[in-house]
Amino acid sequence: MGRRLRIRHETRVAYAEAAVSSHNEVRMTPLTLPHQTTLDARVTVSPATATWSYWDYWGTQVTGFDLMDPHADLAITAVSLVETAPPSPLAEPAGWTEIAERAATTRLLEHSSPTARTTVGPDLVDAAHETALGLDPHEAAVSVAEMVADRVAYVPGATGVLTTAQEAWEQSAGVCQDIAHLTAGLLRGIGLPTRYVSGYLHPDRDADLHRPVAGQSHAWIEYWAGDWFGYDPTNRVRADESHVVVGRGRDYGDVTPHKGIYRGAASGPPEVTVEFTRLA
């Protein structure tokens, strides 16, 4: 069954001393896709200021704003109403030869090359090749994702936004961002174009209607095998109606929910809360 979800994503930044000015980009607006429709989406800022929006190179909606007066804190609230549907049955995948040809001659090349966050060592790529040996692209993607999930335990706070895929593998712990980076790096290594997906995952599939539940933003991957197919390696499931896509890119750096610069004293990490309410 499909779902109708209200998502409230709030980010608060408290500066040690008032920031003189700040310039910000926010990627918190869910996309409208064949299995996902954004019915309403709004981003508000405190202190109040004018905002503008545009679509970036990767197809993500960006909200931008500047604060040119001194401010002691910053609050960004993104509220969206999204309808999701179950994914279609898996289509027959393209063959490995076709995938290789398309990856070399189209924009798929952008999702076939390693980045600083997704680069892994040759020994690890060799292990992924062994895991995928003799499998079709769908089977290979799941097999490699399982290899990652078996090795890297989900441990909140174990890593930071600059942690690389190789570092997450070596310490055997990370968060969904690290698991997605590592899976993407290995799938690219075996010849599957793969993009990093930023969005939300409703945390309770059996949640009561109209009951708010706490959650968080989430990351998973999509691999290309004739079309794009989503898989959530952290939870070992195919991306489905509980997943809400906000943006896709090569890695986290392309789809960061909030980034910007400010002039003033150093501040601590932002406080982020995400709340879901299932309406249907």
Side-chain angles (χ1 to χ4, degrees):
M1 293 179 60
R3 299 188 173 207
R4 178 175 288 189
L5 302 173
R6 178 178 291 121
I7 305 166
R8 181 183 178 89
H9 183 167
E10 187 167 17
T11 298
R12 290 185 173 273
V13 181
Y15 301 102
E17 299 177 9
V20 176
S21 62
S22 65
H23 309 272
N24 302 266
E25 290 182 353
V26 174
R27 289 169 173 81
M28 298 179 185
T29 301
L31 300 174
T32 290
L33 305 166
H35 299 291
Q36 173 182 304
T37 301
T38 300
L39 303 175
D40 187 36
R42 304 179 186 182
V43 177
T44 57
V45 180
S46 178
T49 188
T51 64
W52 60 89
S53 61
Y54 63 93
W55 299 92
D56 70 12
Y57 176 80
W58 304 106
T60 306
Q61 186 170 340
V62 183
T63 300
F65 62 91
D66 296 331
L67 290 168
M68 304 308 295
D69 296 322
H71 48 287
D73 49 36
L74 169 64
I76 305 166
T77 304
V79 180
S80 54
L81 181 63
V82 184
E83 284 188 346
T84 61
S88 301
L90 279 179
E92 187 73 18
W96 288 104
T97 299
E98 179 185 349
I99 293 172
E101 291 174 350
R102 291 288 299 275
T105 59
T106 70
R107 282 189 60 187
L108 290 174
L109 179 62
E110 296 174 322
H111 299 292
S112 302
S113 306
T115 67
R117 286 184 170 96
T118 62
T119 296
V120 291
D123 290 345
L124 197 48
V125 173
D126 288 344
H129 273 292
E130 291 181 11
T131 296
L133 187 64
L135 303 179
D136 72 28
H138 289 320
E139 296 168 336
V142 173
S143 181
V144 171
E146 291 282 338
M147 167 184 159
V148 172
D150 287 344
R151 167 77 179 205
V152 182
Y154 178 80
V155 181
T159 55
V161 295
L162 298 180
T163 300
T164 66
Q166 185 70 38
E167 290 169 342
W169 177 270
E170 291 172 354
Q171 67 183 41
S172 301
V175 294
C176 58
Q177 171 185 308
D178 305 297
I179 295 171
H181 279 155
L182 186 50
T183 304
L186 291 175
L187 291 182
R188 291 169 186 168
I190 68 169
L192 272 182
T194 305
R195 57 192 183 189
Y196 178 98
V197 184
S198 174
Y200 304 104
L201 173 64
H202 193 287
D204 184 357
R205 294 176 180 271
D206 300 317
D208 295 333
L209 295 180
H210 307 291
R211 179 175 65 87
V213 296
Q216 57 189 353
S217 56
H218 192 54
W220 60 99
I221 60 97
E222 292 176 349
Y223 62 91
W224 194 88
D227 199 352
W228 290 105
F229 299 93
Y231 192 80
D232 181 349
T234 302
N235 293 291
R236 303 175 188 247
V237 297
R238 190 176 173 205
D240 59 17
E241 63 272 23
S242 293
H243 293 75
V244 177
V245 178
V246 171
R248 298 135 156 173
R250 296 164 299 177
D251 61 26
Y252 173 82
D254 290 334
V255 291
T256 307
H258 171 224
K259 64 181 177 181
I261 58 174
Y262 69 92
R263 189 156 61 95
S267 67
E271 295 182 6
V272 178
T273 59
V274 179
E275 180 185 88
F276 299 81
T277 305
R278 184 182 172 194
L279 302 180

